[in-house]
Amino acid sequence: MADTADNLPFLVKDGDFFVPQPHARSPWAAQMLHGRLVGGLIARTLELEHRDPDLHFARLTVDLFRSSPLVPLRVSTTRVRDGGRIRVADAVVETEQGAIGRAGAVLLRRGEQPPGEVWAPPAWDAPPVEPLAPPPTPYNGWIPPFDLWRLTPWGSKERSRIWLRERHPLVGGEQLTPFVRAVLAAEFVSPLTHMGTEGLRFINADYTLFLSRLPIGDVIGMESDGHLSDAGVAVGHCTLYDDSGPIGYCATSAVANSMAIPPA
């Protein structure tokens, strides 16, 4: 089947390298790799090399400490710990410039759910996703390569809420897994929590995703739970959902950026 605009992958495998395609660009600059793809590639590789049917990816922390142009990427992973109830693995993404990102994953053994009730926030009352994808909205000449439904005004002081759905494969010839889909979506916690009335003026340095379970279906919802910032340093966190309810939390730190993405 011939490739169409929506099934062109972000990355094409070439031996041990992954070659970014033009639509893998960041909203910050035309020749900059989008950080979400670093996290997605890490999740994909960790899952391939360290998954176990009895273990669940409960936490993934992705450090995005160096921006990269659209050049080939390579990922290496290390098994740090293999215990009876926990597995820990690390990953590093490199280019010709050196390391551009790293991550640490914690996998926990599935078992019987203990009895008892624990307080939890009220169920998300977001409306269901509309049957038709919204028109893409350009940011700095960048058109989001995913479907994005805004449930609250963008660039306001309201609590931000969205639905997000991927349109492209991450790597050519591979289907997105639920774990990779969640990690790709989770990178959006930074604009979700740090966009304000004057636009997005912070660029994320990392994000940590906590999952109690994997998402069901191809649509992931996000709701901001808080933003704090001072002296150009920001932190934020949100809750992630699928059609059935909450699936986890994500937190990020970010640093002020001289360039701003306007509150379109």
PDB file of all heavy atoms in Angstrom, residues 121-153:
ATOM      1  N   PRO A 121      -9.561  11.646  42.695  1.00  0.00           N
ATOM      2  CA  PRO A 121     -10.315  12.811  42.215  1.00  0.00           C
ATOM      3  C   PRO A 121     -11.531  12.383  41.417  1.00  0.00           C
ATOM      4  O   PRO A 121     -11.612  11.246  40.932  1.00  0.00           O
ATOM      5  CB  PRO A 121      -9.299  13.546  41.328  1.00  0.00           C
ATOM      6  CG  PRO A 121      -8.299  12.513  40.958  1.00  0.00           C
ATOM      7  CD  PRO A 121      -8.215  11.569  42.109  1.00  0.00           C
ATOM      8  N   PRO A 122     -12.498  13.272  41.261  1.00  0.00           N
ATOM      9  CA  PRO A 122     -13.704  12.924  40.505  1.00  0.00           C
ATOM     10  C   PRO A 122     -13.378  12.520  39.076  1.00  0.00           C
ATOM     11  O   PRO A 122     -12.346  12.910  38.510  1.00  0.00           O
ATOM     12  CB  PRO A 122     -14.525  14.229  40.525  1.00  0.00           C
ATOM     13  CG  PRO A 122     -13.984  15.008  41.679  1.00  0.00           C
ATOM     14  CD  PRO A 122     -12.543  14.638  41.796  1.00  0.00           C
ATOM     15  N   ALA A 123     -14.268  11.722  38.494  1.00  0.00           N
ATOM     16  CA  ALA A 123     -14.079  11.276  37.112  1.00  0.00           C
ATOM     17  C   ALA A 123     -14.073  12.471  36.168  1.00  0.00           C
ATOM     18  O   ALA A 123     -14.758  13.478  36.399  1.00  0.00           O
ATOM     19  CB  ALA A 123     -15.185  10.304  36.722  1.00  0.00           C
ATOM     20  N   TRP A 124     -13.296  12.363  35.101  1.00  0.00           N
ATOM     21  CA  TRP A 124     -13.217  13.429  34.101  1.00  0.00           C
ATOM     22  C   TRP A 124     -14.546  13.521  33.363  1.00  0.00           C
ATOM     23  O   TRP A 124     -15.082  12.510  32.908  1.00  0.00           O
ATOM     24  CB  TRP A 124     -12.091  13.100  33.126  1.00  0.00           C
ATOM     25  CG  TRP A 124     -11.546  14.280  32.389  1.00  0.00           C
ATOM     26  CD1 TRP A 124     -11.511  15.567  32.803  1.00  0.00           C
ATOM     27  CD2 TRP A 124     -10.929  14.262  31.101  1.00  0.00           C
ATOM     28  NE1 TRP A 124     -10.894  16.360  31.868  1.00  0.00           N
ATOM     29  CE2 TRP A 124     -10.529  15.590  30.812  1.00  0.00           C
ATOM     30  CE3 TRP A 124     -10.665  13.265  30.168  1.00  0.00           C
ATOM     31  CZ2 TRP A 124      -9.886  15.935  29.624  1.00  0.00           C
ATOM     32  CZ3 TRP A 124     -10.020  13.607  28.998  1.00  0.00           C
ATOM     33  CH2 TRP A 124      -9.638  14.925  28.729  1.00  0.00           C
ATOM     34  N   ASP A 125     -15.065  14.722  33.239  1.00  0.00           N
ATOM     35  CA  ASP A 125     -16.360  14.897  32.592  1.00  0.00           C
ATOM     36  C   ASP A 125     -16.209  15.500  31.201  1.00  0.00           C
ATOM     37  O   ASP A 125     -17.092  16.201  30.714  1.00  0.00           O
ATOM     38  CB  ASP A 125     -17.273  15.775  33.452  1.00  0.00           C
ATOM     39  CG  ASP A 125     -16.672  17.158  33.698  1.00  0.00           C
ATOM     40  OD1 ASP A 125     -15.502  17.384  33.318  1.00  0.00           O
ATOM     41  OD2 ASP A 125     -17.374  18.005  34.277  1.00  0.00           O
ATOM     42  N   ALA A 126     -15.083  15.247  30.551  1.00  0.00           N
ATOM     43  CA  ALA A 126     -14.846  15.802  29.208  1.00  0.00           C
ATOM     44  C   ALA A 126     -15.809  15.196  28.198  1.00  0.00           C
ATOM     45  O   ALA A 126     -16.147  14.016  28.276  1.00  0.00           O
ATOM     46  CB  ALA A 126     -13.415  15.533  28.773  1.00  0.00           C
ATOM     47  N   PRO A 127     -16.261  15.994  27.231  1.00  0.00           N
ATOM     48  CA  PRO A 127     -17.118  15.448  26.179  1.00  0.00           C
ATOM     49  C   PRO A 127     -16.333  14.492  25.296  1.00  0.00           C
ATOM     50  O   PRO A 127     -15.098  14.586  25.213  1.00  0.00           O
ATOM     51  CB  PRO A 127     -17.551  16.695  25.400  1.00  0.00           C
ATOM     52  CG  PRO A 127     -16.457  17.686  25.642  1.00  0.00           C
ATOM     53  CD  PRO A 127     -15.990  17.424  27.035  1.00  0.00           C
ATOM     54  N   PRO A 128     -17.005  13.553  24.626  1.00  0.00           N
ATOM     55  CA  PRO A 128     -16.293  12.608  23.755  1.00  0.00           C
ATOM     56  C   PRO A 128     -15.693  13.312  22.545  1.00  0.00           C
ATOM     57  O   PRO A 128     -16.118  14.403  22.159  1.00  0.00           O
ATOM     58  CB  PRO A 128     -17.393  11.622  23.339  1.00  0.00           C
ATOM     59  CG  PRO A 128     -18.659  12.396  23.477  1.00  0.00           C
ATOM     60  CD  PRO A 128     -18.451  13.324  24.641  1.00  0.00           C
ATOM     61  N   VAL A 129     -14.708  12.664  21.961  1.00  0.00           N
ATOM     62  CA  VAL A 129     -14.051  13.217  20.778  1.00  0.00           C
ATOM     63  C   VAL A 129     -15.040  13.292  19.624  1.00  0.00           C
ATOM     64  O   VAL A 129     -15.825  12.388  19.380  1.00  0.00           O
ATOM     65  CB  VAL A 129     -12.853  12.325  20.389  1.00  0.00           C
ATOM     66  CG1 VAL A 129     -12.277  12.742  19.049  1.00  0.00           C
ATOM     67  CG2 VAL A 129     -11.785  12.394  21.460  1.00  0.00           C
ATOM     68  N   GLU A 130     -14.995  14.392  18.905  1.00  0.00           N
ATOM     69  CA  GLU A 130     -15.865  14.548  17.742  1.00  0.00           C
ATOM     70  C   GLU A 130     -15.469  13.545  16.659  1.00  0.00           C
ATOM     71  O   GLU A 130     -14.307  13.118  16.592  1.00  0.00           O
ATOM     72  CB  GLU A 130     -15.745  15.974  17.193  1.00  0.00           C
ATOM     73  CG  GLU A 130     -16.182  17.037  18.171  1.00  0.00           C
ATOM     74  CD  GLU A 130     -17.665  16.959  18.478  1.00  0.00           C
ATOM     75  OE1 GLU A 130     -18.423  16.472  17.620  1.00  0.00           O
ATOM     76  OE2 GLU A 130     -18.054  17.361  19.581  1.00  0.00           O
ATOM     77  N   PRO A 131     -16.414  13.140  15.792  1.00  0.00           N
ATOM     78  CA  PRO A 131     -16.093  12.126  14.776  1.00  0.00           C
ATOM     79  C   PRO A 131     -15.122  12.610  13.719  1.00  0.00           C
ATOM     80  O   PRO A 131     -14.461  11.801  13.083  1.00  0.00           O
ATOM     81  CB  PRO A 131     -17.465  11.820  14.165  1.00  0.00           C
ATOM     82  CG  PRO A 131     -18.304  13.019  14.457  1.00  0.00           C
ATOM     83  CD  PRO A 131     -17.818  13.526  15.784  1.00  0.00           C
ATOM     84  N   LEU A 132     -15.011  13.901  13.517  1.00  0.00           N
ATOM     85  CA  LEU A 132     -14.099  14.434  12.503  1.00  0.00           C
ATOM     86  C   LEU A 132     -12.939  15.152  13.169  1.00  0.00           C
ATOM     87  O   LEU A 132     -13.115  15.869  14.149  1.00  0.00           O
ATOM     88  CB  LEU A 132     -14.836  15.411  11.575  1.00  0.00           C
ATOM     89  CG  LEU A 132     -15.990  14.826  10.757  1.00  0.00           C
ATOM     90  CD1 LEU A 132     -16.675  15.923   9.943  1.00  0.00           C
ATOM     91  CD2 LEU A 132     -15.498  13.716   9.830  1.00  0.00           C
ATOM     92  N   ALA A 133     -11.746  14.948  12.612  1.00  0.00           N
ATOM     93  CA  ALA A 133     -10.565  15.596  13.173  1.00  0.00           C
ATOM     94  C   ALA A 133     -10.646  17.100  12.956  1.00  0.00           C
ATOM     95  O   ALA A 133     -11.134  17.562  11.925  1.00  0.00           O
ATOM     96  CB  ALA A 133      -9.305  15.035  12.519  1.00  0.00           C
ATOM     97  N   PRO A 134     -10.166  17.889  13.900  1.00  0.00           N
ATOM     98  CA  PRO A 134     -10.185  19.347  13.750  1.00  0.00           C
ATOM     99  C   PRO A 134      -9.166  19.783  12.709  1.00  0.00           C
ATOM    100  O   PRO A 134      -8.200  19.062  12.443  1.00  0.00           O
ATOM    101  CB  PRO A 134      -9.794  19.837  15.137  1.00  0.00           C
ATOM    102  CG  PRO A 134      -8.944  18.735  15.685  1.00  0.00           C
ATOM    103  CD  PRO A 134      -9.521  17.460  15.144  1.00  0.00           C
ATOM    104  N   PRO A 135      -9.352  20.937  12.117  1.00  0.00           N
ATOM    105  CA  PRO A 135      -8.348  21.417  11.169  1.00  0.00           C
ATOM    106  C   PRO A 135      -7.043  21.724  11.881  1.00  0.00           C
ATOM    107  O   PRO A 135      -7.051  22.167  13.033  1.00  0.00           O
ATOM    108  CB  PRO A 135      -8.975  22.704  10.600  1.00  0.00           C
ATOM    109  CG  PRO A 135      -9.943  23.142  11.648  1.00  0.00           C
ATOM    110  CD  PRO A 135     -10.457  21.886  12.288  1.00  0.00           C
ATOM    111  N   PRO A 136      -5.901  21.467  11.241  1.00  0.00           N
ATOM    112  CA  PRO A 136      -4.625  21.760  11.886  1.00  0.00           C
ATOM    113  C   PRO A 136      -4.442  23.253  12.087  1.00  0.00           C
ATOM    114  O   PRO A 136      -4.868  24.060  11.268  1.00  0.00           O
ATOM    115  CB  PRO A 136      -3.586  21.205  10.911  1.00  0.00           C
ATOM    116  CG  PRO A 136      -4.288  21.197   9.586  1.00  0.00           C
ATOM    117  CD  PRO A 136      -5.739  20.936   9.888  1.00  0.00           C
ATOM    118  N   THR A 137      -3.839  23.609  13.210  1.00  0.00           N
ATOM    119  CA  THR A 137      -3.560  25.007  13.513  1.00  0.00           C
ATOM    120  C   THR A 137      -2.062  25.233  13.470  1.00  0.00           C
ATOM    121  O   THR A 137      -1.316  24.578  14.187  1.00  0.00           O
ATOM    122  CB  THR A 137      -4.082  25.372  14.921  1.00  0.00           C
ATOM    123  OG1 THR A 137      -5.474  25.086  14.984  1.00  0.00           O
ATOM    124  CG2 THR A 137      -3.842  26.838  15.217  1.00  0.00           C
ATOM    125  N   PRO A 138      -1.583  26.144  12.611  1.00  0.00           N
ATOM    126  CA  PRO A 138      -0.134  26.347  12.532  1.00  0.00           C
ATOM    127  C   PRO A 138       0.413  27.112  13.732  1.00  0.00           C
ATOM    128  O   PRO A 138      -0.233  27.991  14.275  1.00  0.00           O
ATOM    129  CB  PRO A 138       0.040  27.159  11.239  1.00  0.00           C
ATOM    130  CG  PRO A 138      -1.309  27.638  10.849  1.00  0.00           C
ATOM    131  CD  PRO A 138      -2.334  26.933  11.677  1.00  0.00           C
ATOM    132  N   TYR A 139       1.603  26.721  14.182  1.00  0.00           N
ATOM    133  CA  TYR A 139       2.342  27.432  15.217  1.00  0.00           C
ATOM    134  C   TYR A 139       3.740  27.692  14.667  1.00  0.00           C
ATOM    135  O   TYR A 139       4.482  26.750  14.418  1.00  0.00           O
ATOM    136  CB  TYR A 139       2.470  26.586  16.497  1.00  0.00           C
ATOM    137  CG  TYR A 139       1.169  26.269  17.174  1.00  0.00           C
ATOM    138  CD1 TYR A 139       0.538  25.058  16.948  1.00  0.00           C
ATOM    139  CD2 TYR A 139       0.585  27.172  18.055  1.00  0.00           C
ATOM    140  CE1 TYR A 139      -0.657  24.757  17.579  1.00  0.00           C
ATOM    141  CE2 TYR A 139      -0.604  26.867  18.693  1.00  0.00           C
ATOM    142  CZ  TYR A 139      -1.217  25.656  18.444  1.00  0.00           C
ATOM    143  OH  TYR A 139      -2.394  25.357  19.068  1.00  0.00           O
ATOM    144  N   ASN A 140       4.101  28.954  14.492  1.00  0.00           N
ATOM    145  CA  ASN A 140       5.449  29.273  14.017  1.00  0.00           C
ATOM    146  C   ASN A 140       5.750  28.537  12.713  1.00  0.00           C
ATOM    147  O   ASN A 140       6.854  28.050  12.496  1.00  0.00           O
ATOM    148  CB  ASN A 140       6.484  28.912  15.104  1.00  0.00           C
ATOM    149  CG  ASN A 140       7.865  29.451  14.805  1.00  0.00           C
ATOM    150  OD1 ASN A 140       8.005  30.499  14.186  1.00  0.00           O
ATOM    151  ND2 ASN A 140       8.878  28.729  15.239  1.00  0.00           N
ATOM    152  N   GLY A 141       4.748  28.431  11.833  1.00  0.00           N
ATOM    153  CA  GLY A 141       4.924  27.707  10.581  1.00  0.00           C
ATOM    154  C   GLY A 141       4.822  26.206  10.715  1.00  0.00           C
ATOM    155  O   GLY A 141       5.027  25.474   9.748  1.00  0.00           O
ATOM    156  N   TRP A 142       4.508  25.722  11.907  1.00  0.00           N
ATOM    157  CA  TRP A 142       4.440  24.278  12.190  1.00  0.00           C
ATOM    158  C   TRP A 142       2.985  23.852  12.316  1.00  0.00           C
ATOM    159  O   TRP A 142       2.209  24.484  13.036  1.00  0.00           O
ATOM    160  CB  TRP A 142       5.182  23.990  13.493  1.00  0.00           C
ATOM    161  CG  TRP A 142       5.113  22.588  14.008  1.00  0.00           C
ATOM    162  CD1 TRP A 142       5.824  21.513  13.583  1.00  0.00           C
ATOM    163  CD2 TRP A 142       4.319  22.103  15.112  1.00  0.00           C
ATOM    164  NE1 TRP A 142       5.534  20.401  14.324  1.00  0.00           N
ATOM    165  CE2 TRP A 142       4.608  20.733  15.272  1.00  0.00           C
ATOM    166  CE3 TRP A 142       3.391  22.718  15.959  1.00  0.00           C
ATOM    167  CZ2 TRP A 142       4.005  19.965  16.247  1.00  0.00           C
ATOM    168  CZ3 TRP A 142       2.797  21.942  16.931  1.00  0.00           C
ATOM    169  CH2 TRP A 142       3.095  20.578  17.078  1.00  0.00           C
ATOM    170  N   ILE A 143       2.604  22.793  11.598  1.00  0.00           N
ATOM    171  CA  ILE A 143       1.258  22.244  11.701  1.00  0.00           C
ATOM    172  C   ILE A 143       1.333  20.969  12.532  1.00  0.00           C
ATOM    173  O   ILE A 143       2.105  20.061  12.210  1.00  0.00           O
ATOM    174  CB  ILE A 143       0.664  21.946  10.321  1.00  0.00           C
ATOM    175  CG1 ILE A 143       0.531  23.242   9.519  1.00  0.00           C
ATOM    176  CG2 ILE A 143      -0.688  21.256  10.449  1.00  0.00           C
ATOM    177  CD1 ILE A 143       0.019  23.037   8.114  1.00  0.00           C
ATOM    178  N   PRO A 144       0.601  20.869  13.630  1.00  0.00           N
ATOM    179  CA  PRO A 144       0.689  19.679  14.481  1.00  0.00           C
ATOM    180  C   PRO A 144       0.455  18.396  13.682  1.00  0.00           C
ATOM    181  O   PRO A 144      -0.557  18.286  12.988  1.00  0.00           O
ATOM    182  CB  PRO A 144      -0.419  19.898  15.513  1.00  0.00           C
ATOM    183  CG  PRO A 144      -0.601  21.375  15.565  1.00  0.00           C
ATOM    184  CD  PRO A 144      -0.349  21.863  14.165  1.00  0.00           C
ATOM    185  N   PRO A 145       1.371  17.431  13.762  1.00  0.00           N
ATOM    186  CA  PRO A 145       1.211  16.177  13.031  1.00  0.00           C
ATOM    187  C   PRO A 145       0.373  15.164  13.799  1.00  0.00           C
ATOM    188  O   PRO A 145       0.604  13.963  13.737  1.00  0.00           O
ATOM    189  CB  PRO A 145       2.657  15.704  12.864  1.00  0.00           C
ATOM    190  CG  PRO A 145       3.336  16.199  14.090  1.00  0.00           C
ATOM    191  CD  PRO A 145       2.677  17.505  14.441  1.00  0.00           C
ATOM    192  N   PHE A 146      -0.572  15.647  14.568  1.00  0.00           N
ATOM    193  CA  PHE A 146      -1.502  14.799  15.312  1.00  0.00           C
ATOM    194  C   PHE A 146      -2.821  15.554  15.415  1.00  0.00           C
ATOM    195  O   PHE A 146      -2.881  16.773  15.225  1.00  0.00           O
ATOM    196  CB  PHE A 146      -0.962  14.448  16.705  1.00  0.00           C
ATOM    197  CG  PHE A 146      -0.349  15.602  17.445  1.00  0.00           C
ATOM    198  CD1 PHE A 146      -1.140  16.535  18.101  1.00  0.00           C
ATOM    199  CD2 PHE A 146       1.022  15.756  17.485  1.00  0.00           C
ATOM    200  CE1 PHE A 146      -0.581  17.602  18.775  1.00  0.00           C
ATOM    201  CE2 PHE A 146       1.600  16.827  18.166  1.00  0.00           C
ATOM    202  CZ  PHE A 146       0.798  17.748  18.801  1.00  0.00           C
ATOM    203  N   ASP A 147      -3.893  14.825  15.700  1.00  0.00           N
ATOM    204  CA  ASP A 147      -5.205  15.450  15.899  1.00  0.00           C
ATOM    205  C   ASP A 147      -5.274  15.999  17.318  1.00  0.00           C
ATOM    206  O   ASP A 147      -4.913  15.314  18.276  1.00  0.00           O
ATOM    207  CB  ASP A 147      -6.325  14.437  15.685  1.00  0.00           C
ATOM    208  CG  ASP A 147      -6.409  13.959  14.252  1.00  0.00           C
ATOM    209  OD1 ASP A 147      -6.054  14.737  13.348  1.00  0.00           O
ATOM    210  OD2 ASP A 147      -6.820  12.805  14.033  1.00  0.00           O
ATOM    211  N   LEU A 148      -5.738  17.224  17.447  1.00  0.00           N
ATOM    212  CA  LEU A 148      -5.793  17.879  18.750  1.00  0.00           C
ATOM    213  C   LEU A 148      -7.131  18.572  18.912  1.00  0.00           C
ATOM    214  O   LEU A 148      -7.490  19.451  18.130  1.00  0.00           O
ATOM    215  CB  LEU A 148      -4.653  18.899  18.860  1.00  0.00           C
ATOM    216  CG  LEU A 148      -4.553  19.683  20.175  1.00  0.00           C
ATOM    217  CD1 LEU A 148      -4.235  18.747  21.329  1.00  0.00           C
ATOM    218  CD2 LEU A 148      -3.493  20.774  20.062  1.00  0.00           C
ATOM    219  N   TRP A 149      -7.885  18.128  19.925  1.00  0.00           N
ATOM    220  CA  TRP A 149      -9.147  18.767  20.253  1.00  0.00           C
ATOM    221  C   TRP A 149      -8.958  19.593  21.516  1.00  0.00           C
ATOM    222  O   TRP A 149      -8.654  19.050  22.584  1.00  0.00           O
ATOM    223  CB  TRP A 149     -10.237  17.727  20.491  1.00  0.00           C
ATOM    224  CG  TRP A 149     -10.687  16.992  19.274  1.00  0.00           C
ATOM    225  CD1 TRP A 149     -11.758  17.293  18.477  1.00  0.00           C
ATOM    226  CD2 TRP A 149     -10.096  15.806  18.725  1.00  0.00           C
ATOM    227  NE1 TRP A 149     -11.855  16.382  17.461  1.00  0.00           N
ATOM    228  CE2 TRP A 149     -10.858  15.459  17.585  1.00  0.00           C
ATOM    229  CE3 TRP A 149      -8.990  15.018  19.071  1.00  0.00           C
ATOM    230  CZ2 TRP A 149     -10.556  14.347  16.801  1.00  0.00           C
ATOM    231  CZ3 TRP A 149      -8.683  13.922  18.290  1.00  0.00           C
ATOM    232  CH2 TRP A 149      -9.469  13.602  17.169  1.00  0.00           C
ATOM    233  N   ARG A 150      -9.125  20.885  21.445  1.00  0.00           N
ATOM    234  CA  ARG A 150      -9.034  21.742  22.618  1.00  0.00           C
ATOM    235  C   ARG A 150     -10.403  21.823  23.285  1.00  0.00           C
ATOM    236  O   ARG A 150     -11.378  22.226  22.665  1.00  0.00           O
ATOM    237  CB  ARG A 150      -8.588  23.141  22.212  1.00  0.00           C
ATOM    238  CG  ARG A 150      -7.238  23.190  21.525  1.00  0.00           C
ATOM    239  CD  ARG A 150      -6.957  24.615  21.091  1.00  0.00           C
ATOM    240  NE  ARG A 150      -5.737  24.717  20.315  1.00  0.00           N
ATOM    241  CZ  ARG A 150      -5.369  25.811  19.682  1.00  0.00           C
ATOM    242  NH1 ARG A 150      -6.130  26.890  19.730  1.00  0.00           N
ATOM    243  NH2 ARG A 150      -4.248  25.833  18.996  1.00  0.00           N
ATOM    244  N   LEU A 151     -10.446  21.460  24.527  1.00  0.00           N
ATOM    245  CA  LEU A 151     -11.706  21.512  25.267  1.00  0.00           C
ATOM    246  C   LEU A 151     -11.827  22.795  26.073  1.00  0.00           C
ATOM    247  O   LEU A 151     -12.883  23.068  26.632  1.00  0.00           O
ATOM    248  CB  LEU A 151     -11.815  20.297  26.193  1.00  0.00           C
ATOM    249  CG  LEU A 151     -11.627  18.931  25.498  1.00  0.00           C
ATOM    250  CD1 LEU A 151     -11.736  17.807  26.507  1.00  0.00           C
ATOM    251  CD2 LEU A 151     -12.641  18.750  24.381  1.00  0.00           C
ATOM    252  N   THR A 152     -10.736  23.561  26.139  1.00  0.00           N
ATOM    253  CA  THR A 152     -10.725  24.864  26.794  1.00  0.00           C
ATOM    254  C   THR A 152      -9.972  25.831  25.887  1.00  0.00           C
ATOM    255  O   THR A 152      -9.183  25.400  25.050  1.00  0.00           O
ATOM    256  CB  THR A 152     -10.025  24.798  28.165  1.00  0.00           C
ATOM    257  OG1 THR A 152      -8.748  24.171  28.005  1.00  0.00           O
ATOM    258  CG2 THR A 152     -10.854  24.015  29.159  1.00  0.00           C
ATOM    259  N   PRO A 153     -10.206  27.130  26.014  1.00  0.00           N
ATOM    260  CA  PRO A 153      -9.504  28.088  25.150  1.00  0.00           C
ATOM    261  C   PRO A 153      -7.989  27.994  25.322  1.00  0.00           C
ATOM    262  O   PRO A 153      -7.484  27.821  26.427  1.00  0.00           O
ATOM    263  CB  PRO A 153     -10.029  29.445  25.626  1.00  0.00           C
ATOM    264  CG  PRO A 153     -11.323  29.142  26.304  1.00  0.00           C
ATOM    265  CD  PRO A 153     -11.163  27.786  26.915  1.00  0.00           C
TER     266      PRO A 153
END
